[in-house]
Structures are given as C-alpha cells and as structure tokens.
Amino acid sequence: MLVQTLQALATGLLTGSVYALLGAGFSLIWGVAHVINVAHAALAVGAAYAVYALATRGVDPLASLAMVVPLFFLLGVGFHEAVIRPAARRAGDLVLVSMVLTFGLAAALENALAAVWGPGPRVVNVAYTGQAIRLGVLALPVPHVAGAGLAAVTITALYLFLHKTFPGKAVRAVWQNRDGAALCAVNLRQVTSLTYGLAIASAGVAGVALALIYSFSPATHLMWLVFVFLVVIVGGVGSLVGAVVAGMLVGALTNLATLVIPFAWAPFLLFASLGVLLLWRPTGLFRR
Amino acid sequence: MRLSRRQFLQSAALGAGALAVPQLLHRNAWAQARPIRLGGTLPLTGPFADTGVWVERGYRYWAEQTNQRGGLLGRPVEVIVLDDASSVDRAVSLLERLITVDRVDLVLGGYPGTAAAAQMALVERYRKVYISMGGHMASFRRGFKYSFGGPPLMGQWWYEGAWRWLANIPRGQRPTRAAAITVNNPVGMSVRESMLDGLKRLEIPLVMDELYDLPLASAEPLVSRARALGADMFLANGFFPDGVLTIRAMKALDYNPKVILQGVGSLIPEWVTQLGPDGDYVVSGTAIHHKLPFPGIAELNQAAQERWKLKWAPQYFLFGYAWAQLLQQAVEGAKSLNHAVLVRYMREATFKTIAGELRFDEKGLPAPYEYTTQVINGEVELIWPPGRRSAQPVYPKPPWRR
Amino acid sequence: MSRAAAAGLLAVLLVLPWAGAGEYPLALLYSTFMYATLAVAWNIIGGFAGYLSFGHAAFFGLGGYATGFLLVHAGLSPFLTAPVGGVVAAVFAALAGYPCLRLRGPYFAVVTMILGLAVRAVVLNLPWTGAAEGLWMTLPPWEPLAARRAFYYAMLAIALVTAWTGHAVRHGKMGVGLEAIREDEDAAQSIGVPAVRLKMSALTISAGLTGLAGGIYAYDRSYIHPDFMFDLHLSVLAVLMALLGGRRSWAGPILGAVVVRLVDEVLTVRVGTEVARIIFGLGLALVIVLLPEGLLPHLMRRRRAPRPPAAVPAAVVRS
C-alpha cells in the first residue's frame, strides 16, 4: 500500500510538473499582458507535431528543442506584434477580447493541424519509451522523468530570467505596475513582446514534454487546456512558483485520489478540491 | 429483289442505327436516371474524426463499386456525408435535414455509439431504415423497428471469442486473477458487461475493477495496483490514447500479465503503425476482419493497398462498406425503396455480406459474433474461432522487448 | 425594433407551423429559439452583472436530466415537467453559485467552467440516470411533423418567457443594481446596493431559464448522455452569442443567437463544417475587435445617427 502510494505520488508529481510548465507560460501572458491565450495548449500540440515529424526522421525529441525553442519564441513575438497589439489598441476589455480572439486562433490551428496530419492520433516512440528508472521499489518512467526535467529546467530558467536579469525585472515591473514601469522608461512594447516570446517558447517546450508521455491529435489541446486553467487559477495568475505548486498538486491529487476512492470519482474530487481551494483563496495560492 | 445502292445504304444505316439505339438509350438512361441518394452524417472533424473518415471512405468506395457494376435497381447511387464535427446534436439535426429537406432515399449510419443511438431515435420517428454500429445493447432494447446492427459494434459481445479461447487453455495455465480498467462511457460499460460475464464463466476472480474518465492523465497508479494485486490478466476496456498510456505504464513498471485484453483501441490502424512493437499480443474482439474469407474482402484489401498504401483494409473502412452493402442487398432483395417494405424484408432474409452471413432478429440484431483478434508482430490476426484462425495465438504474453 | 414590427414578427412565428412550414424549418427555428433562450438567460448574469459564466451547460444538462428522469421513472411528459427542470437547475445554481459568486472576473469564469466539468463528472457516475451509458426515454408519441410543431411552440414559449424576463430585469430596479455591480461592485456595495442578493437572484433566474430549455431539449433527443448535455462547447457558445449580439441590452443576445444559428446553418450545409468553423472563428474575432459592444448597439447607433452635414468647401471653413 505504501509502495502504491509512493508510486502514485511520484508519477503524479512528474506529470504535474509538465502541466506546471504548460501553465507557466499561460500565466505569464495573463499576468503581464492581461491576455488569456486560449490557444496556448494548441500551440503546445503544434510543437508536439513538430517533435513527431522530427522523430520519424530519427531526431530525438530533446534534440528537436534546438529548433522548437527559437521558432516558438519568434512565434510568440510575432503573435504579439501582429495580433495582440492591434487588438489591444481597439479593445476595451482586453481580457475578454483576447479570449475570443485566441479561441478562434486555437480552432484555426486545430483545423490546420488536422488538414496536414489528418485527425488520427500520433505517438512519439523513442529509445527510452517504456523504460523506467528504478529507485528501490519505485519505477519512474523515463519519458516522464525527461518531461519533468524539461519542465524543471525551463521554469528555473524563466524564474532566473525574471529575477536576475534586467529585462526580466522589467517584465516584472510592467506586470506589477504598468504605468509606473512606463514612467521609469521601460519600453512596454519590447517588454511585452519579450514576455510573449518566452511564454510561447515555454509552450513549445511543454509540447515536447507532453509528446514524450501522451499520444495526441489535433483535438487534444482542449483536454490539456483544462489542466492549464486549473493550474493557473489555483497557483495564482502570473506566479511561476504558484504554477509549479499547483501543477504538482493537480498531478498528485489525481493520482492519489484513486487510492482512496474509485478512480471514476477522481476528476470530481479534483474539481471539488480545487473549487474549495479557490473559495478559500480566491486569487490562487501565490498571487503576487 | 435487288436493292438500289441508295436503298441498300438506307437500310444499312437504319440497321446500324437500330443496333445503336439501345446502346445510346442505355447510356443516356443511366446518365439521366435519377440517382438513388444515400445520406448520413459522420464525424469528419473533431475527436472522433480518425474513425469517421474511414467509415466515410467505406461508404464512398461502396458507392463507386456499385456504380461500376450497374448501380442499385438500375440507377446510380450518390452518397452524401455531412460532417457532424463529432457533435451528437449536429449529427441528429443534420440527419433530420437530410431526411426532410434533401429527402434522401436511404439513410447511412453514423458514428460513434452516442451519435448512432440518438440517430436511431430520430429515424424511428421518421420511419427510415437505419443500419449502423448501434449504441450497444441498450439501444437495441428500445423496441425500435427500423434500426439494425449490420454488424453492430456490440460491447456486450466483444470478448465472447476470447472467453471461449481461454476456456480451451488447460486450467492450470489459465490466468488466475484479473484486473480491469474501463473507460466511463457507453462503449466501456458495454465491453465491461462482456468482461464480467466471461470472468464469471471462467471462474477468474476480478481483483480490480476501476472506471476512468477521459482523458486519462496517467495509467501508472492503476497498473501499479494491478501488479501489486498479482493480477495475471489485464483488461484495458478503453480507447487508443488511454490504451497507449496503459501499455507504456505496464512496460515501464515491468508488469507482465499472461494476457492483455484491449477494448477498442487496437481496432484502428494507429495501434500498429504508431505504438509499434509494444502494442503486440493484445487481444481484442471484432465484428469484421480483413482476413475473413467472405466475398468482397479481398477487393477491399486491394483497394486499401492501392489507394492508401496500407497492407490491409482498416476495420472502419470494412464497417462502412458492410453497412452500405447491407442496405444495398436489402433494396435489391426487396426491389423497393419503401422503408416499410425494407424493414419487413430485412427481418426475413439472410444476407451474405463481407461480415459473413447475417440474419436479423426482432431487435434488429444478428447472431452474436465471436471473433477474437490478437496483434502479432504488427499484424492484427484472427485467433478465434479456430476455423477462422489466421495465426496461432500467443499465450502467455512474452516479456516486454527492450 | 418598433413595437409594430415585433408584434408582426411574433404573429408570423405563431402562425408559421400551420402555414405549411416543413419539419426542418420548424426544427431550425426551434433550435434558434433555444439558442436565443440560452443567450438571453446567460446574459442576465454574464452581461448585466458582468459575471461571465463558463459553466452554463451544467444548468442546461440538469434541466434535461430532471425531465428525463421524471419521464422514465414517473411517466410524466417533459412538456409538463420542464418547469421542474428549471427549478432543479435554479436550486443547484443557488447552492453552488453562492460560493462561486464570491470570486470575481476571470476567476469566476474559470470556477464556473470547473463547475460545469464537475457536474458532468458526477452525472457520468450516477446510476439513477443511466451513468455512463446515457439515459433512454420513450419517444414522443406524435408523428414527426406534429412533434416538430409541438417542440416549436414549447421552445417559442420558453424563449418568450426568457425574453420577457430579460427585459424585466434589464429595465427594472434589478437591472440598475446589476449594472452598478458590473461597473464597480465595491463602490456599488458602499452605496447600499445589495450585491450578494442581486447576484444570487440573477444567477438563479439565469440558471432556471437555461434548465427550462434543457428540459424540453432532452425529450426531443430521446437519448441523452453527459458528454453532450454538459458539453463545455455549449457553455462557450452561450458566452459567444451574447458577446456577439451585445451584452448591455436584453435583446442583443437574441440577435447574437440568430446570427450564430443561421450563419452556422448556411455555412455547414454549403461549405462544410470545418470551413464553417474557421469562418465563424474569424468572423467572431473580427466582430469582437471592431465592435466590442456587439452587433446590436452598433446597428442601433447607425440607425439613430443623424446624417452628417453636407461637406463644406474648405475655403469657406478656413475663412
């Protein structure tokens, strides 16, 4: 029983960290730019397909990061310049407008992926799929560890960037007080573009991580999006630490719940606990 | 009497013309004959599209073949498939449109089971024959007169062959404990019924019986528990994405049951093409198979090779073709497009389809099938009934290839 | 729209089923009435109060399951028990909504989304309503055309009740209070607006009307399942329709619903569902960026705007 608990906990934390990664970028955009990027998970799926395409040509998913990260960074910047800025200029309620806008984009991306790849599911197989690292009685599947590793590295990098570098601090300044930052000669446009680039790049990395663990199809993004919302709301908008904690919490809770209650009730328990948590702390665990 | 040259030429022309007229008439008649229109909806986009597109291909290929062979009742057939985007609501309203506005002559079955079930209710009210996968046993117990499973995807029959196969294995070598995970939807629940029934008959205790909702986040807790409970038989009564997670979790946790029963995940080509060797040796059921010796299957396999570069005709391609073929045989046999006449005929006749010989009872169901498949070396082989075997079953499951 | 025009339209709608309309046009209008109901009902809490709910499908589905349950276990026709469906949804909204309404803005949106998912997860496991197999009901006993007429009138009645309710809320004291809440809830409370009571009322009314529609819808389907009765897409659609039509007025959502339903119909049949979705998504994005208030206010402004004065020669102006 103890072994099972530990096993469930371990796997839950590993998958949870990947949710955290997916949620971190989403949270960043929301916190800094007040944009709810509903297309975030769809972009991650796009990255997953890129990984698949390269994997079928013998490129390891981790190696494909070299292409995914810069590409998605540029995508993020481009997204901000070409879509968000024009929208922000005209819209009163950017949060709502951005939700609708990115909702449309997510649908378009889903259809585009389906047009290119077909609607069927894809699976990425690598040498270490199905292998596990043994820690005593525990078995940690290697793809999960790899995914969690990616998440850890990326989130740490983001955190260090935000706290230790000047541009990063500018991002935080903008987020804390937009006007105040502008008054301090922070270039809002550049900072927001940078934030977008980072956030979408992290979505790309999350896509790589998710591709290692799960099968996916164009329609998968909706399922991942639910996890993103949960993680961000519970963790607190804009908080990286919050996203990490919330992600782990979601992952662990889903798995542990099954030890106590029938697995079928696990989603309900998850939703109920998170709902209750939200009511106790309305702005999330780590709202800055 | 000697014909003048002109007279000769005139009669020759008349004669040639007379011979040509039936040809011309025939071609014109074919081109001008009002086509028989078959209409239905399928998920061509959305979560169920990977299966939906194959069913559509089955329908369209049937239409092509039928038209090449002279059509249905001498008229060309036209297939109209609308995309319901994997939405049951759309599936019903679009079908209602096809029936009332487009006035299609015949109705084509939908997918998946929830859409088919809702459409079964609709066609019963409009009194149209409906041949489809059905919505499992619950849908066939409604007393519907117009719906037929030809063949149905009947979860309750799914593992029937597997139980008979296992019963043939000497008692000492059979599995001793079973663990099951079932997807919490109509498909899963019906397959689970088949499982409970069979386990009882074979007297194998069920030590774990969990339901899960889609999407499955991780299979490790479930697999780890099955392993801890010493289950040497595992039933993954689910679909492809969760099936993939389950297989991988088993491999990672080094869990090696003697036999793995997979619900419907292994029914799509991707199980073999995407999952690879890890997906080998899973056992499943089916209603139709590309290695069955029924007339028509060989051509379908060939079409799959030529058009889509697949070794065998995919399951849902066969299903689509089978359902359309059944409609065709009913119409040809009854010599009518009148649905009341067709319904009567469907309950009296015996049909020889690519799914074998079918006779329908008052519920609209044929006799239960007991085909069992096993994925062996990347091929979906038939392992039961013995007379239809395409390969020897592999039991117990060999250890994971590393 | 002038009163005369509205009355005329209503008269046409009332007479249509007997004036030779076929099953499908009746079905199309029936579904438009339903969408209008959902949009107007949603708007009472979403537009007037500014609390964007992304879980309204929960109320819809509960209404449907309530009438379905009563039909299967008590033999009562949903045409009679639809109000019970509304009440069930309203009671649930009151119970679950009270804690939810303590959250604001996007947090409320997400928690209601979670609520919708949670309700689906629960009903999926409830044995008394078919659990994961779905719930089968007896078919309506009428011929298709007669059935279509019956459902048409039922949904029209519900839509009218909803429209009337929306109008009454908007132009009554409640509407003023909700608007104050939307503009600045804290300020409103400080001047004595009973925010909690008003929000609860709005949510309960909104849920009840939604459940009413769900109750009738279930009977038409005859087979219901949590996957499509509590579908997130339906919740999002309610939001989008109100957004498109205009959230400030009670009638804006009706316009949004009509546009959505008809555009969807035309596109799906002519162009195919996939392209329809892309066009719809793009169209929606354009509207939301160019006309953030929605279509109705824009149309009304254009009608009311005085004609611009004739261009004055620049020389005259400069001197």
Side-chain angles (χ1 to χ4, degrees):
Chain A
M1 190 58 188
L2 179 65
V3 175
Q4 280 177 54
T5 311
L6 287 176
Q7 180 70 58
L9 187 65
T11 329
L13 290 175
L14 290 176
T15 45
S17 58
V18 181
Y19 303 148
L21 176 60
L22 197 56
F26 181 86
S27 185
L28 206 58
I29 296 184
W30 184 345
V32 172
H34 301 289
V35 163
I36 297 192
N37 183 19
V38 178
H40 204 79
L43 288 163
V45 173
Y49 271 100
V51 169
Y52 176 81
L54 291 173
T56 50
R57 284 169 180 72
V59 178
D60 186 84
L62 296 175
S64 61
L65 279 173
M67 185 206 84
V68 166
V69 172
L71 178 66
F72 274 68
F73 182 86
L74 290 173
L75 262 174
V77 173
F79 177 62
H80 173 248
E81 294 293 317
V83 177
I84 297 297
R85 279 191 72 234
R89 263 204 299 266
R90 319 179 72 127
D93 187 357
L94 187 58
V95 171
L96 190 56
V97 170
S98 65
M99 272 185 96
V100 176
L101 206 56
T102 52
F103 179 76
L105 281 170
L109 185 55
E110 178 187 332
N111 284 316
L113 287 171
V116 172
W117 296 96
R122 304 282 166 169
V123 168
V124 171
N125 283 318
V126 286
Y128 44 88
T129 311
Q131 312 271 21
I133 300 173
R134 311 256 150 206
L135 281 184
V137 286
L138 289 183
L140 303 176
V142 176
H144 288 63
V145 174
L150 276 178
V153 167
T154 313
I155 295 184
T156 313
L158 271 175
Y159 186 83
L160 289 174
F161 175 78
L162 286 175
H163 287 262
K164 304 286 180 202
T165 69
F166 188 75
K169 290 185 188 174
V171 169
R172 280 169 56 218
V174 167
W175 171 38
Q176 280 173 7
N177 191 327
R178 199 177 177 82
D179 298 322
L183 283 172
C184 294
V186 169
N187 186 328
L188 287 180
R189 177 179 172 173
Q190 276 182 5
V191 166
T192 323
S193 273
L194 180 64
T195 313
Y196 268 89
L198 290 174
I200 303 299
S202 75
V205 179
V208 174
L210 287 163
L212 286 171
I213 305 173
Y214 295 108
S215 70
F216 52 89
S217 69
T220 311
H221 69 106
L222 286 170
M223 295 186 265
W224 293 353
L225 194 63
V226 174
F227 284 116
V228 170
F229 272 118
L230 289 176
V231 162
V232 168
I233 287 293
V234 168
V237 175
S239 166
L240 279 184
V241 175
V244 171
V245 173
M248 304 279 215
L249 203 63
V250 169
L253 206 63
T254 326
N255 280 5
L256 286 175
T258 74
L259 293 173
V260 190
I261 54 166
F263 202 72
W265 288 93
F268 171 69
L269 188 68
L270 178 70
F271 295 138
S273 341
L274 296 179
V276 165
L277 182 69
L278 218 63
L279 294 169
W280 168 56
R281 294 267 254 164
T283 50
L285 290 169
F286 288 90
R287 172 77 157 139
R288 301 281 200 85
Chain B
M1 179 170 88
R2 274 198 63 214
L3 292 166
S4 75
R5 193 167 145 154
R6 184 141 56 97
Q7 282 172 319
F8 175 76
L9 284 169
Q10 274 179 347
S11 23
L14 267 173
L19 280 171
V21 161
Q23 289 272 33
L24 283 169
L25 271 181
H26 176 80
R27 232 180 283 135
N28 264 350
W30 174 262
Q32 288 172 8
R34 255 179 48 251
I36 293 184
R37 297 156 84 230
L38 297 94
T41 81
L42 283 172
L44 301 178
T45 55
F48 302 121
D50 51 348
T51 309
V53 299
W54 279 112
V55 177
E56 191 204 7
R57 285 174 182 154
Y59 287 156
R60 293 204 183 280
Y61 184 76
W62 166 85
E64 212 182 281
Q65 291 284 293
T66 305
N67 282 337
Q68 274 174 18
R69 295 180 189 149
L72 187 58
L73 296 181
R75 294 160 64 182
V77 295
E78 184 190 322
V79 161
I80 306 168
V81 173
L82 296 178
D83 178 14
D84 57 39
S86 303
S87 151
V88 172
D89 188 61
R90 253 187 221 270
V92 177
S93 57
L94 286 176
L95 190 62
E96 190 163 17
R97 189 197 164 92
L98 286 168
I99 292 174
T100 57
V101 174
D102 301 276
R103 299 208 179 277
V104 293
D105 301 290
L106 298 165
V107 176
L108 293 168
Y111 181 86
T114 40
Q119 288 185 336
M120 279 166 79
L122 181 80
V123 296
E124 191 71 15
R125 287 159 69 177
Y126 278 99
R127 300 217 233 339
K128 300 285 179 191
V129 168
Y130 185 76
I131 298 175
S132 75
M133 60 174 280
H136 304 282
M137 197 53 87
S139 65
F140 287 99
R141 289 205 180 109
R142 304 303 306 169
F144 291 155
K145 289 274 147 269
Y146 283 82
S147 291
F148 298 87
L153 257 82
M154 186 63 73
Q156 282 83 356
W157 298 345
W158 210 241
Y159 292 146
E160 187 52 39
W163 303 127
R164 294 183 192 223
W165 164 60
L166 283 171
N168 262 356
I169 295 173
R171 207 171 263 274
Q173 293 168 29
R174 274 185 226 162
T176 55
R177 281 201 204 108
I181 63 174
T182 307
V183 64
N184 208 8
N185 74 4
V187 178
M189 301 314 284
S190 326
V191 172
R192 185 168 165 274
E193 275 183 48
S194 171
M195 169 185 85
L196 292 172
D197 178 58
L199 287 175
K200 200 149 64 127
R201 278 173 14 211
L202 286 172
E203 292 169 355
I204 299 176
L206 185 62
V207 297
M208 179 175 108
D209 181 18
E210 290 288 359
L211 303 176
Y212 63 90
D213 201 356
L214 293 174
L216 183 62
S218 50
E220 279 77 11
L222 296 165
V223 169
S224 136
R225 179 129 61 93
R227 188 168 73 132
L229 290 167
D232 52 2
M233 175 176 187
F234 194 88
L235 296 110
N237 304 326
F239 292 96
F240 180 83
D242 27 316
V244 168
L245 283 180
T246 311
I247 293 288
R248 285 180 163 181
M250 289 199 243
K251 187 172 174 187
L253 295 172
D254 203 19
Y255 171 55
N256 233 348
K258 290 188 182 144
V259 63
I260 302 174
L261 259 60
Q262 168 68 34
V264 292
S266 52
L267 219 57
I268 58 173
E270 280 84 354
W271 185 268
V272 165
T273 62
Q274 295 287 310
L275 189 52
D278 288 340
D280 271 353
Y281 310 117
V282 296
V283 172
S284 186
T286 187
I288 226 174
H289 196 269
H290 52 260
K291 287 193 178 173
L292 287 171
F294 301 128
I297 296 226
E299 285 93 359
L300 291 169
N301 284 331
Q302 198 178 3
Q305 281 163 21
E306 286 166 5
R307 293 182 194 213
W308 300 292
K309 312 275 182 294
L310 294 167
K311 202 162 164 202
W312 303 106
Q315 286 277 306
Y316 287 99
F317 179 65
L318 294 174
F319 274 120
Y321 187 93
W323 297 327
Q325 183 190 40
L326 192 58
L327 259 181
Q328 169 189 15
Q329 290 186 2
V331 169
E332 283 171 349
K335 298 214 186 341
S336 164
L337 288 171
N338 178 304
H339 288 258
V341 171
L342 286 172
V343 167
R344 263 201 310 278
Y345 180 78
M346 286 210 62
R347 289 209 157 77
E348 290 161 6
T350 305
F351 297 90
K352 292 187 169 47
T353 69
I354 60 166
E357 220 173 74
L358 302 175
R359 270 194 70 90
F360 294 96
D361 61 15
E362 77 287 350
K363 290 209 287 288
L365 288 172
Y369 41 74
E370 46 169 280
Y371 299 119
T372 303
T373 61
Q374 187 175 31
V375 181
I376 301 174
N377 288 330
E379 285 274 336
V380 181
E381 309 280 3
L382 276 170
I383 61 166
W384 192 271
R388 301 265 187 233
R389 226 170 235 175
S390 64
Q392 286 295 2
V394 175
Y395 178 89
K397 183 182 118 41
W400 299 102
R401 265 172 258 167
R402 304 222 175 251
Chain C
M1 184 180 270
S2 69
R3 281 182 189 251
L9 181 62
L10 185 59
V12 168
L13 288 176
L14 284 171
V15 167
L16 209 57
W18 300 106
E23 296 100 339
Y24 195 69
L26 291 178
L28 189 56
L29 283 167
Y30 152 87
S31 110
T32 311
F33 297 154
M34 189 180 89
Y35 280 21
T37 303
L38 293 177
V40 172
W42 178 89
N43 204 43
I44 293 177
I45 183 74
F48 297 166
Y51 275 74
L52 302 167
S53 155
F54 275 82
H56 257 58
F59 309 133
F60 182 81
L62 281 173
Y65 266 92
T67 57
F69 180 83
L70 287 171
L71 177 58
V72 170
H73 294 277
L76 296 167
S77 166
F79 278 84
L80 288 173
T81 58
V84 176
V87 167
V88 168
V91 167
F92 174 75
L95 292 171
Y98 180 73
C100 292
L101 284 168
R102 288 173 46 202
L103 301 169
R104 304 267 182 97
Y107 297 95
F108 177 77
V110 176
V111 93
T112 49
M113 185 188 82
I114 294 177
L115 189 68
L117 296 172
V119 170
R120 177 186 160 276
V122 169
V123 177
L124 197 63
N125 291 303
L126 278 185
W128 319 294
T129 46
E133 268 196 15
L135 186 65
W136 278 99
M137 293 175 254
T138 45
L139 302 179
W142 315 290
E143 289 294 311
L145 187 57
R148 277 275 149 255
R149 286 188 187 132
F151 282 105
Y152 175 97
Y153 282 124
M155 204 53 93
L156 177 59
I158 293 175
L160 288 172
V161 165
T162 307
W164 180 85
T165 309
H167 174 90
V169 169
R170 177 73 175 82
H171 294 292
K173 241 174 69 175
M174 190 170 166
V176 177
L178 290 175
E179 184 169 350
I181 291 173
R182 185 186 66 225
E183 293 300 317
D184 190 332
E185 185 164 345
D186 297 316
Q189 271 185 309
S190 69
I191 61 166
V193 172
V196 176
R197 184 165 65 79
L198 284 177
K199 286 189 295 186
M200 283 290 289
S201 307
L203 183 62
T204 316
I205 293 173
S206 174
L209 292 167
T210 308
L212 203 57
I216 292 292
Y217 175 83
Y219 194 30
D220 189 34
R221 282 288 161 264
S222 303
Y223 168 73
I224 58 175
H225 189 274
D227 281 349
F228 59 87
M229 289 304 281
F230 298 106
D231 192 3
L232 184 59
H233 282 115
L234 191 65
S235 298
V236 174
L237 195 62
V239 181
L240 292 180
M241 289 190 289
L243 235 69
L244 189 67
R247 282 177 295 151
R248 298 291 140 98
S249 64
W250 66 272
I254 298 181
L255 180 61
V258 170
V259 168
V260 164
R261 188 66 189 90
L262 293 182
V263 166
D264 181 61
E265 182 68 23
V266 167
L267 285 180
T268 305
V269 176
R270 297 233 169 274
V271 177
T273 315
E274 208 170 292
V275 181
R277 256 199 296 183
I278 296 180
I279 295 181
F280 180 67
L282 285 175
L284 191 65
L286 277 174
V287 167
I288 218 62
V289 172
L290 298 173
L291 304 171
E293 291 292 298
L295 281 173
L296 190 63
H298 178 76
L299 290 173
M300 298 201 46
R301 226 175 290 134
R302 284 186 62 193
R303 272 184 60 224
R304 285 212 204 101
R307 290 181 148 281
V312 180
V316 175
V317 170
R318 243 184 271 129
S319 64

